[in-house]
Amino acid sequence: MHTGTPIYSGKAKTLYTTDDPDKLIMGFRDDTSAFDGRKLAQLSRKGKINNRFNAFIMAKLAEAGIPTHFEHLLSDTESLVKKLHMIPIECVVRNLTAGSVCRRLGVKEGIALDPPTFEFFLKNDELHDPMVNDYLIRSFNWASDADIARMKELTFRVNAVLKDLFFAAGILLVDYKLEFGRYHNEVVLGDEFTPDGCRLWDAATREKLDKDRFRQDLGGVVEAYEEVARRLGIGIQ
Ligand code: ADP
Ligand code: TMP
Ligand code: ASP
């Protein structure tokens, strides 16, 4: 296995080819972006923390029977993953209100949602990831009915596993975004699960421990990610 050519460099990660056409190297960079790339910064150590964080969460999800692209860690900032044909849709589950749902519906932050709610967004930075629904996904053929059903099922199964995992560490899983892709016709969880793509609050104080610290200029972004990792027992040298 060797690091091949970069085939894609996004806002926070770079993908490289390998000598196996079915596998890619996913490199986590220190680059941090919010508001669809309008706010950018370099946060020292973030790539390393997110690589470890993601490996830990993906392993927990795999143990629970959720198919993921994650293979294994390769280095401090790189992991080997299955090469997926990505579905250009973001799947969001919310357990508590925060972020765009508050802006869109004029509701306060921190309202418990029972049952948790689910939203689809189109992955398109130029359009600011507009919300879409099952019908639009079908009409534009971004995914099939079976893919849609599977993405919803897997996204809720992730909630069942991770809500408890975080709660045991004194953390509320407020919301999160997942991306899926196809691997030899199977729908598989791709991309990452890190504090960059979810909201995590201290269960007692509701202190924000995720990328909202960056979005809202609260400071201590990487320190908050490290605190979550420490509470989950993720070792980061
Ligand atoms: P963005 O593209 O939103 O700026 P990143 O910087 O995180 O985001 O780049 C990672 C990109 O890799 C994303 O576009 C994501 O959809 C894609 N991706 C994630 N996992 C895989 C995979 N296993 N195979 C192919 N592409 C993937
Ligand atoms: P939102 O409140 O902005 O809609 O985001 C909901 C959750 O999904 C939040 O944890 C952030 C995450 N998310 C991303 O990581 N990237 C995205 O492009 C979007 C739309 C949401
Ligand atoms: N992940 C998106 C971005 O990088 C949206 C966000 O996190 O605010 O811009």
Side-chain angles (χ1 to χ4, degrees), residues 6-214:
I7 54 163
Y8 178 82
S9 192
K11 297 187 294 293
K13 302 193 292 301
T14 304
L15 300 173
Y16 305 87
T17 56
T18 67
D19 48 17
D20 179 345
D22 267 349
K23 305 277 162 59
L24 292 175
I25 293 168
M26 178 171 267
F28 289 76
R29 308 194 312 270
D30 287 344
D31 296 312
T32 310
S33 121
F35 313 119
D36 310 311
R38 279 170 291 153
K39 178 168 176 167
L40 298 168
Q42 283 264 318
L43 297 176
S44 180
R45 307 197 303 285
K46 196 202 67 154
K48 182 169 154 176
I49 296 162
N50 277 2
N51 187 40
R52 297 268 165 182
F53 199 109
N54 181 60
F56 177 87
I57 298 287
M58 290 282 170
K60 293 286 180 196
L61 297 177
E63 268 172 40
I66 293 161
T68 89
H69 70 156
F70 182 79
E71 294 276 309
H72 54 81
L73 283 168
L74 289 171
S75 72
D76 265 2
T77 57
E78 292 172 324
S79 290
L80 189 70
V81 299
K82 296 182 181 77
K83 180 178 182 172
L84 306 185
H85 179 75
M86 296 305 289
I87 298 170
I89 295 295
E90 304 188 335
C91 299
V92 170
V93 158
R94 299 177 195 272
N95 294 307
L96 292 146
T97 57
S100 74
V101 75
C102 296
R103 291 193 296 278
R104 279 182 278 122
L105 303 182
V107 294
K108 276 193 284 193
E109 185 177 86
I111 300 167
L113 297 169
D114 185 16
T117 200
F118 183 99
E119 296 164 340
F120 283 125
F121 296 93
L122 178 66
K123 192 171 159 61
N124 185 321
D125 282 340
E126 278 159 40
L127 299 178
H128 307 300
D129 295 344
M131 187 193 247
V132 293
N133 62 25
D134 307 38
Y135 292 96
L136 285 162
I137 294 173
R138 285 299 300 119
S139 301
F140 286 98
N141 206 23
W142 291 314
S144 68
D145 280 328
D147 292 343
I148 292 170
R150 186 72 170 148
M151 289 193 292
K152 284 184 191 167
E153 182 216 329
L154 291 174
T155 305
F156 277 116
R157 276 172 59 191
V158 166
N159 201 35
V161 177
L162 296 188
K163 226 166 45 161
D164 288 353
L165 182 88
F166 283 111
F167 196 70
I171 294 165
L172 298 175
L173 176 59
V174 174
D175 60 29
Y176 55 91
K177 178 267 298 180
L178 301 180
E179 293 182 28
F180 294 89
R182 291 188 204 88
Y183 186 71
H184 301 297
N185 289 326
E186 188 197 3
V187 172
V188 167
L189 176 62
D191 205 47
E192 65 180 294
F193 193 104
T194 70
D196 270 4
C198 66
R199 289 193 173 92
L200 301 167
W201 294 350
D202 181 278
T205 64
R206 298 210 162 190
E207 184 188 5
K208 295 181 200 302
L209 300 171
D210 55 68
K211 201 165 82 176
D212 269 351
R213 298 201 72 81
F214 174 67

